[in-house]
Amino acid sequence: MRMPGKIESDMFAPCGMNCMVCYKHCYYKKPCAGCLNSDRGKPEHCRKCRIKDCTAGKNITFCYECSDFPCKQIKSLEKSYNSRYRASLIENSRAAKEYGAEILLEEHREKYKCPDCGGIISLHDAECSECQYKMRT
């Protein structure tokens, strides 16, 4: 999948994940539409996401809108993302809150665009979905 000219803001998940660079979006002919869109193409753990259910129950879209942010659930996910992928969903959320998701996603578009072919480099495996270029971590 090629990196689009613009990552739409509905690809920013409630938890702070950029759904465009998720492996479930990058590698499939019928990619996941993102957490804020339909459940079509989503893996089960995303369809049954407690974080997404929590934000919906509080009638908010993003975790950073909650007075409990960052809560225990987000801190747990953050720990996993920090150790496994060297990524911070809390930092993403704070940047989106301060500057807007559009600005953050534009930075991610540049960061995760393959320099060799223009494909999308997955956050989860640091590999281009098109040419298997490996991002240095």
Side-chain angles (χ1 to χ4, degrees), residues 115-126:
D116 286 353
C117 75
I120 299 172
I121 297 173
S122 168
L123 169 84
H124 295 107
D125 63 9

Side-chain angles (χ1 to χ4, degrees), residues 88-105:
S88 175
L89 302 181
I90 291 175
E91 285 179 22
N92 286 352
S93 292
R94 288 182 174 146
K97 181 179 182 178
E98 186 171 346
Y99 306 110
E102 296 81 9
I103 301 294
L104 174 73
L105 294 173

Side-chain angles (χ1 to χ4, degrees), residues 4-19:
K6 177 184 178 196
I7 300 175
E8 297 299 325
S9 60
D10 63 356
M11 293 303 282
F12 187 69
C15 66
M17 176 65 189
N18 173 356
C19 294

Side-chain angles (χ1 to χ4, degrees), residues 3 6-7 9 21 26 37 60 72 78 90 95 105 123:
M3 181 64 79
K6 177 184 178 196
I7 300 175
S9 60
V21 299
C26 295
N37 296 306
I60 58 176
K72 186 177 179 180
E78 174 78 356
I90 291 175
L105 294 173
L123 169 84

Side-chain angles (χ1 to χ4, degrees), residues 76-112:
S76 175
L77 187 59
E78 174 78 356
K79 185 176 179 182
S80 172
Y81 268 69
N82 278 327
S83 65
R84 295 167 72 189
Y85 312 119
R86 294 188 181 109
S88 175
L89 302 181
I90 291 175
E91 285 179 22
N92 286 352
S93 292
R94 288 182 174 146
K97 181 179 182 178
E98 186 171 346
Y99 306 110
E102 296 81 9
I103 301 294
L104 174 73
L105 294 173
E106 180 57 28
E107 290 174 6
H108 282 195
R109 192 182 83 73
E110 295 303 318
K111 179 178 180 178
Y112 294 104

Side-chain angles (χ1 to χ4, degrees), residues 22-40:
C22 173
Y23 74 101
K24 283 293 184 182
H25 182 80
C26 295
Y27 291 116
Y28 295 92
K29 290 182 182 182
K30 293 182 180 180
C32 166
C35 289
L36 296 179
N37 296 306
S38 78
D39 281 344
R40 182 184 53 84

